[in-house]
Amino acid sequence: MRILHLYKDYTPVLGGIENHIRVLAEGQARRGHDVTVLAANRGWQTSIETVGGVRVVLAPRLGTIASTPICPSLPRWLSRLEADVTHLHFPHPPGEVAHLLVGRAAGMVITYHADIVRQRHLLPLYEPLLRRVLGRANRILATSPAYIESSRFLRAVRDKCVVVPIGIDVGRFESRSGEPRAPLRARWHLPPDRPVAVFVGRLRYYKGLDYLLRSLPLVPDLHLLLVGGGPLWNSTRALAEALGVANRVVFTGDVDDGDLPACYAAGDLFVLPSHTRAEAFGTSIVEAMAAGLPVISTEIQTGTSWVNQDGVTGLVIPPCDPGALAAAMGALAADPARRSAMGRAGRARAHERFEASMMVEAVEGVYREVLARPADSRQPAAGSGPPRIR
């Protein structure tokens, strides 16, 4: 098949959606498909190259407004690129508008990554267009059943929804987990004999990092390996200093993708204290489970509590609650046997549900299902049943 992925950014830009598209596109290319990604460049030039077997077309960007790239040439590129299936990754309003105007592919699939949260003041203006885009799609991929039920936009089109969880290379994270921890910790100047919690992600407003730092004074023996860079880098470091916990927090900044497994392997437990629906799935949870770490996440009515099963693979606590977070971290830090049992359960769940190869195969199945139907019957019948899980 000729497959076209459409989103605002692509690797080497760091982010969960960008990395997901890369894993999916490169996996499709390895299965023999002709795969193109159309995204925005970071500058005013057009860039066309092949990366990992995927043709990457980056259209010139004139600027960014409300986290949205301004690329006047995007519709022209979309009209020129031939595809059997165009796979849109929401939210990306310019791409969705361009596809409505000039999209030519026989099939249209959308992965609905997350509701619009931070720019919700603009949502009343965009909502009519969003509903039209969702109505035009042949299939809508959601990353968890929980997000379908909790999103008012997905509930309205649940007959079109298919659940395809985000997948990773589980073995890559599993492979480092058996190594001695002392050398791994020495790399990050972590003590070899104290419990270490790990956070991995971009330092963004919805990650709940302030609550995480405010919980540390309540768990005095715990150290934190905070992996990632982002817009809150300076303010997060300043808060650690103000709270008097900077000596127990290691800020790594951005690390190479190849170093991520070692970061997880250096820890005893993983924590993701996100507090808004912008955290729709939590790929880092899957990575931590693959590495054999118990996970502490928050109940924000998204896919995070579907990925991390409370009491099985980790603990699910209320958001915005440093006391609850400290209690959960302290309980796991003090109980190696419980950590080990949850880690084993998490690794088994990662293998069972979140392998990248399973994701690639499931998405291909959706494409083939869409293209196999006559053009006038590619939309599912209203009331055709609950969303399927592939």
Side-chain angles (χ1 to χ4, degrees):
M1 285 180 280
R2 297 171 300 175
I3 301 165
L4 173 62
H5 290 278
L6 184 58
Y7 188 56
K8 63 180 181 179
D9 289 311
Y10 190 62
T11 186
V13 175
L14 298 176
I17 296 177
E18 292 83 356
N19 189 61
H20 163 69
I21 299 171
R22 179 188 61 81
V23 172
L24 178 57
E26 292 182 359
Q28 291 169 336
R30 285 193 296 271
R31 290 172 68 92
H33 300 293
D34 181 354
V35 185
T36 300
V37 172
L38 175 59
N41 205 345
R42 285 295 181 175
W44 296 359
Q45 298 80 31
T46 299
S47 170
I48 303 175
E49 60 181 331
T50 298
V51 181
V54 177
R55 184 189 185 200
V56 180
V57 179
L58 301 179
R61 180 195 305 236
L62 300 185
T64 302
I65 299 176
S67 301
T68 301
I70 307 303
C71 297
S73 65
L74 186 67
R76 178 171 59 85
W77 275 108
L78 188 58
S79 68
R80 291 172 55 185
L81 295 171
E82 296 185 355
D84 300 308
V85 175
T86 298
H87 191 149
L88 282 70
H89 294 266
F90 175 88
H92 178 32
E96 293 140 22
V97 171
H99 193 272
L100 285 177
L101 294 175
V102 299
R104 298 187 295 129
M108 174 186 172
V109 173
I110 296 177
T111 292
Y112 192 99
H113 288 278
D115 291 335
I116 293 175
V117 177
R118 195 171 194 182
Q119 292 82 24
R120 59 184 177 273
H121 60 286
L122 299 175
L123 188 55
L125 299 175
Y126 181 61
E127 182 170 339
L129 178 61
L130 169 57
R131 294 193 181 279
R132 185 175 178 185
V133 170
L134 296 177
R136 182 76 65 86
N138 300 119
R139 288 293 183 275
I140 300 166
L141 307 185
T143 56
S144 71
Y147 217 85
I148 296 174
E149 298 304 322
S150 61
S151 169
R152 65 187 177 95
F153 295 106
L154 289 185
R155 285 199 305 269
V157 290
R158 58 183 292 117
D159 294 331
K160 293 186 174 189
C161 290
V162 179
V163 176
V164 180
I166 291 174
I168 67 166
D169 180 355
V170 173
R172 187 167 76 93
F173 293 90
E174 184 179 33
S175 63
R176 300 297 298 269
S177 60
E179 295 184 19
R181 287 187 177 173
L184 294 170
R185 292 188 174 185
R187 176 181 179 182
W188 302 115
H189 306 289
L190 289 163
D193 57 348
R194 293 289 187 270
V196 173
V198 179
F199 166 91
V200 176
R202 301 295 292 161
L203 308 191
R204 290 176 172 153
Y205 76 97
Y206 62 86
K207 295 292 185 177
L209 295 169
D210 53 340
Y211 302 107
L212 176 55
L213 292 179
R214 293 180 191 282
S215 73
L216 287 183
L218 305 176
V219 197
D221 282 343
L222 187 72
H223 288 247
L224 174 64
L225 181 62
L226 202 153
V227 181
L232 298 187
W233 169 264
N234 290 331
S235 61
T236 304
R237 289 176 65 89
L239 180 59
E241 291 284 353
L243 293 171
V245 297
N247 63 322
R248 291 193 283 130
V249 182
V250 174
F251 290 83
T252 70
D254 292 328
V255 302
D256 291 338
D257 187 64
D259 288 333
L260 278 180
C263 294
Y264 288 105
D268 295 295
L269 58 98
F270 177 78
V271 59
L272 185 67
S274 303
H275 62 96
T276 81
R277 290 180 57 78
E279 190 72 76
F281 182 82
T283 305
S284 58
I285 294 177
V286 180
E287 295 172 349
M289 293 195 308
L293 295 184
V295 173
I296 298 172
S297 60
T298 49
E299 182 52 78
I300 49 177
Q301 303 298 315
T302 69
T304 59
S305 299
W306 178 74
V307 178
N308 177 32
Q309 297 177 314
D310 185 35
V312 180
T313 61
L315 301 174
V316 178
I317 62 171
C320 309
D321 190 336
L325 184 53
M329 292 192 297
L332 290 183
D335 195 339
R338 192 181 187 193
R339 293 201 310 268
S340 180
M342 287 180 167
R344 289 193 301 271
R347 181 172 292 151
R349 180 159 171 75
H351 277 292
E352 177 187 352
R353 296 294 300 153
F354 305 117
E355 282 277 10
S357 59
M358 298 168 60
M359 173 188 70
V360 174
E361 185 175 352
V363 172
E364 182 178 316
V366 172
Y367 293 168
R368 293 195 183 281
E369 177 184 303
V370 167
L371 294 177
R373 296 186 174 206
D376 59 356
S377 63
R378 287 185 179 141
Q379 298 289 351
S384 59
R388 294 165 294 154
I389 301 178
R390 283 186 174 265

